């Protein structure tokens, strides 16, 4: 099963890269010209995201460096322990919606410290794998098209992160416990 | 809300830094963060240019339209306000498929393309439409079948069974996605989107919240899903 999954993920991207132009040629699309025509848009889109991402990354980076994150974690840890959640994974709940690279680094650190097959290692892996970086996704997707009023999108994203975190913890405790 | 979160992060950081004496670190972090943001965007250039080129072929060849038709009932349920056969549907489908298959760097360009198509349907270009919010909800909770990065990390640290988290991850991500869709639905019905205020609405606000919810579901102009 594991070998099959590995093989599948190794073949998926090249298969798609070959299949799309092949299908295009079959349907008489001038594949190379169409590719360059579409690709032109990519540059402008990436550049238009810069201001949004810089703004977000500055705020998140300051927040982490100031120690505010540790403060919040420290305050909440006893409460979590009380309901049976290992406090070590709490920073991950706060990091995960904010920074993909930061939470991945933290997850690797937990896995290195407690071992991949420990309960903490399993919970951390599950949390990291089960949701995406909400603030990043919001910044990039809405930044690319210039949306300023995001309405309820952020609330929905953060709520689902919270649900995902709680679900990950209790599913792991139940399955591996 | 983004405005407040942003302001909160910056002000709290400075206040906490003042209390803990980490002012230098916070200053450094501000500039590192800015640099990081630009670096990420530069990394995105190659990915966006490449996938947007490839996706244009898929669009012109009619592949996206086919993909959209394939799972049309599901997508119509989630995006009732996107007209049938609109190109946004194809991109939404390819974005969802890329997420499910764990093709992270393909999912982002497709999602952005989908957003750009949805923006063409937006009467109010600086405000997110309900369809955009739904697409965002799907992407933030991102259903992934196989979390390849994590399996690799677990392997690195000598796990006996690196893939044992596939099942738990899938279960957790399914719960998170269902929660996201449910809340998104709830907001959609609670705030009639982009419709100019009608004479009925002030009355509705005085009613009990759940009564208002039922009422807007029952008499909404949008077909119930």
């Amino acid at each position: 099963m594991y070998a099959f999954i590995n093989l599948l993920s190794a073949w998926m991207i090249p298969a798609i890269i070959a299949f799309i132009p092949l299908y295009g040629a079959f349907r008489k699309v001038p594949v190379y010209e169409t590719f360059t025509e579409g690709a032109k848009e990519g540059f402008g889109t990436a550049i238009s995201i810069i201001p949004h991402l810089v703004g977000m990354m500055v705020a998140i980076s300051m927040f982490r460096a100031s120690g505010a994150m540790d403060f919040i974690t420290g305050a909440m840890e006893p409460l979590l322990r009380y309901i049976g959640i290992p406090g070590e994974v709490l920073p991950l709940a706060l990091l995960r919606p904010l920074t993909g690279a930061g939470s991945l680094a933290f997850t690797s650190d937990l896995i290195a410290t407690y071992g991949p097959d420990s309960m903490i290692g399993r919970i951390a892996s599950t949390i990291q794998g089960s949701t995406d970086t909400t603030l990043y996704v919001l910044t990039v997707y809405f930044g690319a098209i210039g949306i300023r009023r995001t309405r309820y999108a952020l609330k929905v994203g953060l709520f689902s992160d919270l649900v995902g975190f709680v679900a990950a913890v209790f599913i792991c405790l139940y399955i591996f416990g | 809300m983004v405005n407040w979160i942003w302001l909160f992060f910056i002000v709290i950081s400075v206040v906490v830094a003042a209390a803990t004496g980490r002012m230098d670190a916070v200053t450094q972090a501000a500039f590192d963060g800015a640099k990081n943001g630009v670096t990420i965007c530069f990394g995105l250039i190659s990915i966006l240019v490449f996938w947007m080129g490839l996706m244009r072929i898929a669009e012109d060849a009619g592949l996206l339209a086919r993909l959209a038709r394939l799972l049309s009932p599901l997508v119509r349920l989630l995006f009732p306000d996107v007209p049938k056969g609109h190109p946004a549907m194809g991109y939404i489908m390819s974005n969802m498929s890329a997420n499910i298959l764990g093709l992270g760097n393909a999912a982002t360009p497709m999602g952005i393309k989908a957003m750009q198509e949805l923006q063409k349907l937006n009467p109010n270009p600086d405000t997110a439409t309900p369809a955009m919010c739904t697409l965002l909800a799907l992407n933030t909770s991102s259903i992934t079948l196989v979390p390849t990065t994590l399996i690799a990390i677990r392997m690195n640290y000598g796990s006996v069974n690196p893939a044992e988290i596939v099942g738990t991850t899938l279960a957790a991500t399914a719960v998170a996605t269902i929660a996201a869709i449910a809340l998104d639905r709830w907001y959609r019905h609670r705030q009639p989107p982009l419709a100019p205020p009608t004479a009925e609405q002030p009355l509705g606000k005085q009613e009990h919240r759940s009564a208002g919810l039922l009422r807007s579901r029952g008499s909404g102009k949008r077909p119930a899903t």
Side-chain angles (χ1 to χ4, degrees), chain B residues 159-184:
Chain B
S159 171
V160 179
N161 185 1
E164 69 178 355
I165 50 123
V166 169
T168 53
T169 304
L170 200 57
T173 193
V175 171
T177 304
I178 290 167
I181 292 173
L183 190 66
D184 178 68

Side-chain angles (χ1 to χ4, degrees), chain A residues 11-25 31, chain B residues 50-51 54:
Chain A
W11 275 84
M12 193 62 79
I13 296 266
I16 291 172
I17 294 174
F19 174 72
I20 292 176
L22 200 64
Y23 187 88
V31 283
Chain B
F50 174 69
W51 282 106
L54 211 58

Side-chain angles (χ1 to χ4, degrees), chain B residues 63-73 75 86 89-91 93:
Chain B
L63 198 59
L64 287 182
R66 270 193 107 143
L67 188 65
R69 237 175 294 135
L70 202 67
L71 286 161
S72 164
V75 189
H86 191 275
M89 281 297 192
Y91 282 111
M93 281 310 309

Side-chain angles (χ1 to χ4, degrees), chain A residues 151-153 155-156, chain B residues 182-193 213:
Chain A
R151 304 189 48 202
Y152 50 85
K155 280 181 224 165
V156 171
Chain B
L183 190 66
D184 178 68
R185 290 268 108 173
W186 187 73
Y187 272 119
R188 231 181 222 255
H189 286 291
R190 206 186 61 144
Q191 314 180 319
L213 180 67

Side-chain angles (χ1 to χ4, degrees), chain A residues 2 5-6 9 12-13 16-17 19-21 23-24 27 29 31 34-39 41-43 45-47 49-50 53-68 70 98 104 107-108 111-112 116-117 121-122 124-126 128-138 140-142 144-161 163-164 167-168 171-172 175-176, chain B residues 1-2 5-6 8-10 12-14 16-17 20 22 25-26 29-30 33-34 36-38 40-42 44-45 48-54 56-58 60-61 63 66 95 101 103 107-108 111-113 115-116 119 122 125-130 132-133 136-137 139-142 146 148-151 153-155 157-161 163-165 168-169 171-173 175-176 179-180 183-184 187-188 191 193-194:
Chain A
Y2 178 60
I5 287 169
N6 241 351
S9 51
M12 193 62 79
I13 296 266
I16 291 172
I17 294 174
F19 174 72
I20 292 176
Y23 187 88
R27 298 292 300 265
V29 172
V31 283
T34 310
F35 174 84
T36 51
E37 199 55 43
E41 281 174 35
F43 187 77
T45 305
I47 298 302
I49 299 169
I50 289 183
L53 213 51
V54 166
M56 259 325 154
M57 297 301 276
V58 166
I60 291 166
S61 172
M62 283 172 74
F63 191 66
R64 291 187 62 195
S66 71
D70 308 329
L98 302 182
L104 188 63
T107 301
S108 309
I111 290 175
D117 299 325
R122 286 159 166 166
S125 310
T126 303
Q128 177 69 25
S130 66
T131 96
D132 209 334
T133 316
T134 296
L135 221 55
Y136 172 80
V137 173
L138 182 114
V140 167
Y141 281 30
F142 282 170
I145 54 171
I147 292 290
R148 287 176 47 225
R149 294 185 51 219
T150 57
R151 304 189 48 202
Y152 50 85
L154 184 59
K155 280 181 224 165
V156 171
L158 292 178
F159 173 74
S160 99
D161 286 336
V163 171
I171 288 168
C172 283
I175 300 279
F176 301 121
Chain B
M1 190 180 182
V2 179
I5 290 198
W6 197 67
F8 171 82
F9 277 158
I10 291 180
I12 292 291
S13 306
V14 174
V16 174
T20 54
R22 293 194 197 173
V26 168
N36 229 336
V38 175
I40 292 173
C41 285
F42 270 51
L44 273 178
I45 294 177
L48 283 173
V49 167
F50 174 69
W51 282 106
M52 282 187 171
L54 211 58
R56 178 64 66 85
I57 302 177
D60 283 7
L63 198 59
R66 270 193 107 143
N95 166 255
L101 297 173
L103 313 177
T108 308
I112 290 175
K113 271 306 279 189
M115 283 290 181
Q116 289 172 339
Q119 181 72 319
N122 189 354
D126 68 344
T127 306
T129 62
M132 290 175 181
C133 293
L136 204 81
N139 274 283
T140 55
S141 51
S142 105
V146 186
T148 38
T149 318
L150 281 156
I151 294 177
I153 291 175
R154 292 169 57 79
M155 240 159 99
Y157 285 105
S159 171
V160 179
N161 185 1
E164 69 178 355
I165 50 123
T168 53
T169 304
T173 193
V175 171
L183 190 66
D184 178 68
Y187 272 119
R188 231 181 222 255
Q191 314 180 319
L194 307 168

